[in-house]
Each structure stands twice: as C-alpha cells, then as structure tokens.
Amino acid sequence: MMLDLRRHFSEFRNAQPGRIHLAAHSHHYWPDAACAAHRRALPDAARLADKKWDVVFGELMPRVQRGIAAILGLPDPASIAFAPNTHDFLRRLLSAVPTSRPRILTSDAEFHSFTRQIDRLEEEGLVSVERIAAMPFETFAARFASAARRGGHDLVYVSQVFYNSAATCGALDAIVAAVPGRDTLIVVDGYHGFMALPTDFGANAARAFYLAGGYKYAMAGENACFMHCPPGYAMRPRDTGWFAAFGALNAPAAGKVAYSSDGSRFLGATFDPTGLYRLAAVFDWMDEIKLTVAAIHAHALALQDLFLALLARAQVQPLCDARLISPRGHTPRGNFLTFELDDAAAVHERLMRAGIVTDMRGKRLRIGFGCYHAAEDIEPAVTAIARALA
C-alpha cells in the first residue's frame, strides 16, 4: 500500500500550491514537525543565551545520535559526529591520513563536494587517485572490490547511491571486507542512501566511516550533517576545532593535543544547531506515526513505476526517447529516476518555467519522489510535464 502523508507536509506544500516538486532527492520538503522544531530554536536561544550549548551538547546531540544509530543499526551512538556539511568531514579525514601523498580509491561518480576537492589536490600532486567507472552498474561492485583487494590505498571512498544515476555501489559489507589494509580508511558516502535505502551498517561499524546529512531524505534541511567514526581509526585529525576539545576533557594528552576516542574527535567549531532541532523532530515524528525507511523506499519505488507507466501512456517527448540511467527491476536503486538526453538543460528550463521542479547534472535530468508525494499527485504531474514539453 502506498503512503499518503501529505497532511504532514502542509507548510511546504501550501507555501506554493501550484508548484510541482519532483526533486525530493535534491531538496526534500520538511514535515510540519521539522518546521515547528525550527521555530522552537529561537525562543530556546533567547531563553538560554550562554547556556544554550549545555542543552545542545547535553540533550539535543545525544537525541539525534540515538536516532541516527537506530536507523543505521550502529552499536554506539557516541560514534557519531556532526558538522554543517560533509565537506568538513572530508577535510578532516584527509588530514588524518598519515602519509604525505595519500593514495585514494574511488568511483568516477562521486558528488562534487568530494570530486572537486580531490581533483584540486590531484592538480598539485598532493594525492594520487584511482577511479573505477560506475558504469556498467551491473559489474561495478565486483570491479570496485577487485581494485580494493589489490591494496595499496590510504583511503577508499565510495557512494552508497551514486548521485547522478541512483545506482548503488553494491553490498557495503562486501566492499568493506575487500579492503585488506588494516590502516586504510574506508568511507561510505551515504548522502543519497541515508533514509532512502534501508541500511544496517552495524556489521561495518568497527571498520568503516559513514557520512550523510539531513538535507535530502532525512527531511531536515541544511546544517545537519553527520559521520559515524569507527573506534581506532583516524584518531588524531590535524584539522580539528574547539568543539572537539569538549569530548577530550578527560583524555590524557601527554603533552599533545587531546582527543576523545568517540566520534567527537571529528567535531569542528561553532555551527548553527538549528538543523539538529529539525532532525530530532523528524525522528520523533517518524516514531510517532510508525514510519520506517523501508516504507518510504517502497513508496518511492512505487511512485517511480507509476510515473514511468503514465509517461509512456501519455507518450511524453522527449523523456520517452531519453535513456533511463537508473537501474530497474530487482537491482537496488535510489529514490529518483535519471534520464540522459542531449538537451537536458533545455528540458529542465522548460519544466522550471512551468513550475515543475526537477534538477539536472550535465546531460542527466533527475526526477525524484518522497513521502510527501501521494499516488494522486503523479498523474497531474505527468499531465503538466506533457503540456510543458509539447
């Protein structure tokens, strides 16, 4: 059975009633519970003033850590650190690699926050990079695991779901198990996987990092990114901020900068905690209505299938002629569809002018669905797309 949670997203849906928002993979609507939590942050800041951080560190962060740990099956919520964005975590991870010229294994389909930074470092000869082609998707997992198995890498970094296709990297357990070097850092970028695909990371919690954020499927907006930090790995990042000192108050420094052994060693400096208010509220709301990631994912896949069927029935050009990049059938896939077409920019612009929000990555047009959509939304959306592209 498909979900109908539209009444829980009234603020975002009613703000622009004519807008057709098909970019849940890019900027997900917030539920009303998150909007209410956002508003609570201001009176809390005014009431608590200097004591706000006692509440943030003592109550809010632990609540969000518990919520994330429950969704990912992590054994210890304290392994989770927070930052305004995942790029902060990338910098700290790179700063923790002991070699002066890290050897990196990755894919050719990583998001810009990783690829731009790594490309720039590569220009200067500061890193060496081995990139495994994401396509063909059917063989990626085996090819990536084979490259990892050869060893010789300081950092293995791969997306759980590729941002420009919705294809997945394969079984995370298999990738982690393929890395032979005990000192190699393994990082899974879960930005398009967290709360989109049911994910149990517990078996990998002692060996691999997992980073993601609230901007997309976690429905909590900006400034709410996190990283699970396995114990015993990258214990002393050189890029470190004063927030990391809070968890290290009782850690013996022995003349060195002190770090805690939990996830707080990857904290940076002051950031706006409002995103954590929203993320905590999302977890509470899901618990209250008994909403699971598995249910959201099944709903999104059902909406994808309905959308494609209606698109074919209406013979919407040029989407019917485009190459559908996203895997179908039994292959695991993310919560959006990706169409490859030469005039993707023109199609995207025509849709945007008609009030239909999609997004574009090069020649790939992405159309995504979330739990704020109902089945009844899809036929009017396809009709509007057909009219805009006629």
Side-chain angles (χ1 to χ4, degrees):
M1 181 184 296
M2 289 194 192
L3 302 172
D4 188 351
L5 301 177
R6 289 176 291 182
R7 65 186 178 87
H8 293 275
F9 291 86
S10 63
E11 291 209 37
F12 269 65
R13 288 182 65 98
N14 296 338
Q16 290 280 352
R19 176 174 58 198
I20 298 174
H21 194 269
L22 301 178
H25 57 281
S26 181
H27 187 162
H28 202 292
Y29 279 8
W30 305 354
D32 295 343
C35 297
H38 184 88
R39 283 189 285 270
R40 283 199 302 272
L42 176 56
D44 276 6
R47 176 174 57 85
L48 296 167
D50 305 70
K51 294 183 178 181
K52 175 178 72 175
W53 295 107
D54 294 340
V55 173
V56 170
F57 278 91
E59 299 176 21
L60 184 58
M61 282 189 179
R63 278 178 61 200
V64 180
Q65 286 173 319
R66 289 192 296 271
I68 294 168
I71 287 172
L72 291 177
L74 299 174
D76 182 8
S79 68
I80 295 166
F82 297 102
N85 54 72
T86 57
H87 185 245
D88 278 7
F89 288 133
L90 172 62
R91 291 200 320 271
R92 286 181 203 125
L93 285 164
L94 289 171
S95 80
V97 175
T99 58
S100 59
R101 189 172 184 265
R103 299 155 298 177
I104 299 172
L105 174 65
T106 188
S107 80
D108 68 352
E110 299 304 312
F111 186 60
H112 305 300
S113 60
F114 177 83
T115 56
R116 179 178 174 84
Q117 184 65 76
I118 296 304
D119 289 352
R120 182 67 185 94
L121 295 175
E122 193 176 28
E123 285 179 7
E124 300 287 339
L126 298 175
V127 297
S128 63
V129 187
E130 180 181 0
R131 297 175 180 84
I132 306 301
M135 298 182 73
F137 302 133
E138 295 80 6
T139 63
F140 175 81
R143 289 183 288 111
F144 193 83
S146 177
R149 206 170 286 116
R150 290 196 298 271
H153 305 105
D154 301 295
L155 173 65
V156 173
Y157 188 106
V158 68
S159 287
Q160 181 182 12
V161 176
F162 297 126
Y163 83 100
N164 59 356
S165 67
T168 67
C169 68
L172 300 182
D173 293 0
I175 289 176
V176 173
V179 179
R182 179 69 186 165
D183 295 332
T184 302
L185 300 186
I186 307 171
V187 183
V188 175
D189 186 333
Y191 223 124
H192 277 284
F194 180 67
M195 288 182 62
L197 297 181
T199 303
D200 187 342
F201 205 67
N204 304 304
R207 182 65 184 89
F209 293 82
Y210 185 99
L211 54 85
Y215 189 65
K216 303 184 188 301
Y217 313 93
M219 304 176 267
E222 305 84 348
N223 218 69
C225 289
F226 69 87
M227 183 166 70
H228 159 70
C229 310
Y233 286 93
M235 299 304 294
R236 291 177 51 80
R238 301 178 189 88
D239 181 346
T240 185
W242 76 287
F243 271 15
F246 289 174
L249 293 178
N250 297 318
K256 297 180 179 180
V257 175
Y259 289 84
S260 173
S261 60
D262 61 18
S264 68
R265 67 188 186 275
F266 274 91
L267 290 176
T270 309
F271 68 93
D272 179 3
T274 310
L276 299 183
Y277 276 80
R278 298 190 299 265
L279 192 50
V282 169
F283 295 148
D284 289 345
W285 165 69
M286 290 178 64
D287 286 343
E288 180 183 342
I289 67 171
K290 296 180 172 51
L291 178 64
T292 66
V293 173
I296 295 172
H297 181 54
H299 177 70
L301 295 186
L303 293 180
Q304 288 180 20
D305 291 341
L306 177 60
F307 178 83
L308 291 172
L310 293 173
L311 204 66
R313 189 176 75 184
Q315 298 183 352
V316 178
Q317 307 297 336
L319 292 185
C320 286
D321 293 337
R323 180 186 180 194
L324 182 62
I325 297 295
S326 303
R328 298 290 310 287
H330 297 294
T331 304
R333 67 185 190 270
N335 286 6
F336 60 96
L337 298 169
T338 306
F339 298 86
E340 188 171 79
L341 58 169
D342 289 337
D343 57 347
V347 170
H348 173 260
E349 179 59 28
R350 289 166 68 184
L351 293 174
M352 189 64 76
R353 286 201 303 267
I356 304 166
V357 183
T358 62
D359 74 340
M360 175 197 63
R361 302 295 182 186
K363 292 184 178 181
R364 296 182 179 184
L365 184 79
R366 303 190 302 177
I367 296 178
F369 307 95
C371 61
Y372 58 87
H373 295 110
E376 290 78 6
D377 292 325
I378 306 305
E379 187 166 6
V382 171
T383 300
I385 291 172
R387 188 182 307 118
L389 300 182

